[in-house]
Amino acid sequence: MGKKFTVITDCSFYALCRKESRFVIPAFQRPYVWEKEQILALWEDLINSETDCFLGNLVFLDKNDKTFVVVDGQQRLLTLSLVVLALRERLIEMNSGAFVTDKIIREYVENLNETLFFKESQYPFKRTPRIIPGNRKLEKAYTGLIESGVLSGELDEQQKRFLKNYNLILDLIPENSLPHLEEIIKKTTSVFFVALVCASESEAYRIFVSLNSSGLGLSVADLVKNALFASAGGGELEIMWSEMENEFKGAEGLFPDFLRDFWISRHGAIPKEDLFSLIKKHDLEFIKKDEAVNFMEKLLGNAKIYLSLRSSKTDHLLNSIRLKTKDKRESQELTEMVKKFNCLEMDCAYPLALSFLNKFLKAEKYTRRQFISDLNRLWVFLLRAKILNLNPESYKHKLAKQCLAILSYEAEDFDAMTSDFFSKLKKLVLNSEDFIKNFPQELRYGHNNELLKKVMTDIFRSRGEKVDLLRPSLEHILSRRSGGLFKEFVDEIGNLTLLDEEENNLAGNMTVKEKAILVYGKSSLLTNRKLGEKWREFSLSGFEAVRGRSRELAILANLTFSF
């Protein structure tokens, strides 16, 4: 068996960059994320170190063509390159007029350039950046800085961060002081690492995970990704992982939430700090390549569904449901039922909603009727828990435990299992008196308008209304511009109704009487037409009318949202 890796125990930054080698950062690695805090910490270690500064481990994959793939170390290597760039700039700025000094400066600049550039050994001896970022835009920014010292055009966030860090480092380096520059150059080039050079992808990623298994400084996503690649290499897995990361563009903050909720939806409750270790134990240890690809396919599919649940993206969820139902309208209705859980803004809702959805999509025995029933009961429980200000600690582990039960349950009497589950939850939210009392305070305009619209739609429908508004919006019966005494209650649910957006725009500048005649009286909703008949009540005694209607809606909600 060949040697799996080579350990270089005393590898200085200068020696590393003077070898006939270049370093490629894979496109699937996490972005360059270092900010001011990390830059200043590295600078302090660099400048204040009385001996050569040690900056930890580097893990490389040897591609056998003078190219090393950076598996672990891109943040440190790129930042040290920025230090070299800034030192070179300060040297170029110096113009002493003394021949000897200028010669020394030119020699320093040339040495620093050898650190930054890789020179081909064959004609035409092309010179290229020694470090090649995997992200194309970051590569463009890096190349622009080392070749011309400037960046032009519109920059994305990663490019802006890179340029900001370069300028920060430049400001830290004193101007027109060759002795100071010589000292910083010596400290920078003397920085050393322990480098592990691996012969295979799987070994490189295995070492990466073992070095970083504590998760310190790394996200769970980084650890899961590299554990996958350690087990099965890159290739197809890299492509799928990159696709998943692209799905989360613009919603990157949801990625760690997804990994947690995906796990809970399949295995039940878990302490946050144990997430990676348990994913690795249950899904990634001793995994074969086909198993890794299968796991990645599940992860990618669930990521798309999760984003549909938690963001404006709906296509994947809608298409997945349509494949099961074969009915366009039914698919749209079920999609809206699933997506409305996002209005609750309750993290504990997503894993169980995801479990019910996956069961419906994959299990023939779990019918459409059962799926709708379970979603409705989950919605009722969570809404009541929210209105009652129930402590999530009293029920979130029950929800998580049910995820595991759903996944493993294969019997036909699925109703019996979920009914038993919801009967236990029901006991936690039976307090009708507190629900009616809290309802107007918890549902006010401006706090969560999407939830308000969903709740009012459900209440209207429970009374037999066909709420089919193209663009539903919340309308204030008494104007928010009324001011004075009205300010205390103008945003209560009792002062709100549902109109189509076009109707709402029309009603915007009208008096209560005008709205009653021209808008409410012509509304497609019977609730609004009856509301129009009470315009005098709202005009003459606004406070009592709003509070009375708030209580009326609270009582209706208590009946509507019941088991």
Side-chain angles (χ1 to χ4, degrees):
M1 182 180 290
K3 196 171 183 181
K4 291 185 176 181
F5 61 87
T6 301
V7 180
I8 306 173
T9 57
D10 187 6
C11 180
S12 73
F13 183 58
Y14 181 74
L16 189 69
C17 293
R18 290 298 293 268
K19 292 179 183 294
E20 291 186 5
S21 55
R22 59 187 150 200
F23 303 93
V24 176
I25 299 167
F28 59 79
Q29 280 213 11
R30 65 175 177 169
Y32 179 74
V33 295
W34 273 23
E35 301 274 6
K36 182 177 180 179
E37 180 183 354
Q38 289 84 12
I39 300 296
L40 293 178
L42 183 143
W43 184 260
E44 187 174 338
D45 289 344
L46 187 68
I47 299 303
N48 295 332
S49 178
E50 295 181 2
T51 58
D52 294 344
C53 180
F54 175 61
L55 286 184
N57 303 299
L58 299 175
V59 181
F60 299 126
L61 173 63
D62 188 355
K63 300 297 285 186
N64 298 319
D65 58 354
K66 297 183 180 179
T67 299
F68 293 89
V69 175
V70 180
V71 177
D72 190 15
Q74 72 147 318
Q75 310 290 329
R76 288 164 288 158
L77 289 175
L78 282 172
T79 303
L80 281 172
S81 293
L82 289 180
V83 175
V84 173
L85 268 168
L87 286 166
R88 187 187 69 175
E89 180 62 23
R90 284 288 184 244
L91 286 167
I92 292 171
E93 288 172 356
M94 293 184 68
N95 184 16
S96 68
F99 174 76
V100 175
T101 305
D102 286 347
K103 183 180 178 182
I104 293 171
I105 289 172
R106 286 196 300 272
E107 289 176 354
Y108 273 129
V109 169
E110 185 55 37
N111 284 334
L112 292 178
N113 277 334
E114 287 187 25
T115 301
L116 294 170
F117 290 101
F118 171 81
K119 189 176 181 180
E120 300 280 359
S121 59
Q122 297 179 352
Y123 184 82
F125 308 111
K126 185 179 178 182
R127 195 175 75 161
T128 56
R130 190 174 292 279
I131 299 176
I132 305 172
N135 179 283
R136 288 184 181 179
K137 290 186 176 181
L138 185 58
E139 180 186 3
K140 181 181 177 182
Y142 182 64
T143 303
L145 280 177
I146 69 171
E147 289 185 348
S148 64
V150 294
L151 292 181
S152 58
E154 188 175 345
L155 306 180
D156 69 5
E157 288 304 312
Q158 196 170 182
Q159 290 172 316
K160 289 177 183 176
R161 182 185 298 115
F162 202 63
L163 181 59
K164 184 179 179 182
N165 287 350
Y166 169 68
N167 288 325
L168 171 61
I169 293 167
L170 196 60
D171 289 340
L172 292 170
I173 299 173
E175 300 179 55
N176 299 317
S177 175
L178 187 57
H180 278 104
L181 289 175
E182 288 179 314
E183 182 183 355
I184 298 171
I185 290 170
K186 181 181 178 182
K187 285 179 176 290
T188 303
T189 54
S190 299
V191 163
F192 73 100
F193 308 88
V194 170
L196 291 87
V197 183
C198 303
S200 69
E201 284 187 350
S202 60
E203 187 62 21
Y205 290 115
R206 186 191 67 77
I207 290 172
F208 173 87
V209 171
S210 65
L211 289 173
N212 294 284
S213 59
S214 67
L216 297 175
L218 289 166
S219 70
V220 172
D222 293 317
L223 294 169
V224 169
K225 173 183 67 180
N226 285 284
L228 265 174
F229 298 160
S231 300
E236 188 177 357
L237 292 174
E238 290 180 23
I239 294 170
M240 286 192 285
W241 189 277
S242 294
E243 182 183 350
M244 183 169 67
E245 286 189 332
N246 285 332
E247 290 288 332
F248 281 90
K249 274 190 175 175
E252 288 84 358
L254 291 180
F255 200 16
D257 292 344
F258 159 66
L259 288 174
R260 179 199 64 212
D261 292 342
F262 172 69
W263 168 268
I264 294 173
S265 74
R266 299 170 73 239
H267 297 286
I270 181 176
K272 187 176 181 180
E273 62 273 14
D274 294 338
L275 180 56
F276 171 68
S277 61
L278 287 175
I279 291 177
K280 189 171 184 290
K281 178 180 177 182
H282 285 268
D283 293 304
L284 303 176
E285 279 194 347
F286 310 115
I287 204 168
K288 297 178 182 177
K289 184 160 186 178
D290 59 340
E291 293 172 333
V293 170
N294 182 50
F295 174 78
M296 188 66 232
E297 286 173 345
K298 287 180 182 177
L299 199 63
L300 177 58
N302 275 269
K304 292 178 179 179
I305 288 174
Y306 188 81
L307 279 169
S308 295
L309 174 60
R310 295 204 59 177
S311 72
S312 59
K313 297 181 179 181
T314 60
D315 289 351
H316 188 80
L317 176 59
L318 181 62
N319 292 335
S320 298
I321 294 176
R322 190 179 296 173
L323 282 173
K324 174 70 181 278
T325 65
K326 307 292 191 286
D327 184 280
K328 182 178 179 180
R329 182 169 181 175
E330 186 177 301
S331 300
Q332 289 173 332
E333 290 173 354
L334 291 175
T335 297
E336 286 305 310
M337 285 189 71
V338 175
K339 280 185 68 65
K340 76 177 183 178
F341 285 95
N342 197 37
C343 299
L344 290 167
E345 298 178 348
M346 300 170 75
D347 290 344
C348 59
Y350 303 120
L352 189 51
L354 195 59
S355 287
F356 281 133
L357 178 61
N358 276 322
K359 193 73 173 182
F360 174 66
L361 294 176
K362 296 168 187 175
E364 291 296 327
K365 295 177 181 178
Y366 187 50
T367 66
R368 174 184 174 276
R369 177 195 62 78
Q370 291 171 320
F371 180 48
I372 291 174
S373 173
D374 288 335
L375 288 182
N376 281 333
R377 287 184 289 182
L378 180 59
W379 171 258
V380 166
F381 168 74
L382 290 171
L383 179 65
R384 292 189 71 91
K386 186 178 185 72
I387 300 299
L388 290 167
N389 292 313
L390 203 63
N391 186 345
E393 294 299 324
S394 66
Y395 59 84
K396 71 177 185 180
H397 289 288
K398 293 181 175 66
L399 302 185
K401 186 177 179 182
Q402 185 66 8
C403 293
L404 182 59
I406 291 168
L407 187 72
S408 59
Y409 197 83
E410 295 296 339
E412 291 190 17
D413 58 337
F414 204 84
D415 280 339
M417 190 265 286
T418 55
S419 293
D420 180 59
F421 165 67
F422 283 115
S423 67
K424 293 175 182 175
L425 291 183
K426 177 181 177 180
K427 296 174 183 177
L428 300 175
V429 292
L430 283 176
N431 194 325
S432 295
E433 184 179 341
D434 283 351
F435 181 90
I436 292 169
K437 182 180 72 176
N438 292 356
F439 186 80
Q441 281 74 46
E442 294 299 320
L443 290 176
R444 292 178 61 86
Y445 184 87
H447 290 184
N448 187 336
N449 289 352
E450 288 304 309
L451 179 59
L452 259 173
K453 283 190 277 189
K454 296 292 184 188
V455 166
M456 294 190 80
T457 297
D458 285 352
I459 292 173
F460 289 3
R461 283 175 176 163
S462 74
R463 304 177 74 186
E465 293 266 29
K466 185 180 179 182
V467 183
D468 195 17
L469 302 174
L470 186 62
R471 292 185 298 276
S473 64
L474 295 168
E475 143 73 4
H476 285 78
I477 301 166
L478 295 172
S479 173
R480 296 188 88 200
R481 294 188 293 273
S482 302
L485 298 173
F486 294 107
K487 285 184 68 175
E488 291 184 23
F489 60 88
V490 73
D491 287 333
E492 280 193 19
I493 194 170
N495 191 44
L496 303 173
T497 191
L498 284 176
L499 291 177
D500 190 271
E501 191 176 290
E502 190 175 330
E503 293 176 317
N504 203 346
N505 291 335
L506 179 65
N509 296 316
M510 292 182 179
T511 64
V512 176
K513 181 178 179 180
E514 289 170 336
K515 284 191 279 191
I517 297 169
L518 299 175
V519 181
Y520 302 158
K522 297 179 180 180
S523 174
S524 61
L525 300 178
L526 177 61
T527 300
N528 286 342
R529 296 199 296 274
K530 288 185 175 181
L531 186 60
E533 297 169 3
K534 297 181 178 180
W535 69 266
R536 286 188 179 84
E537 184 180 335
F538 279 87
S539 293
L540 296 174
S541 55
F543 177 81
E544 288 81 2
V546 169
R547 285 289 160 87
R549 187 164 179 271
S550 290
R551 180 168 175 78
E552 177 187 331
L553 289 171
I555 292 170
L556 287 172
N558 187 51
L559 296 172
T560 302
F561 305 109
S562 60
F563 288 91

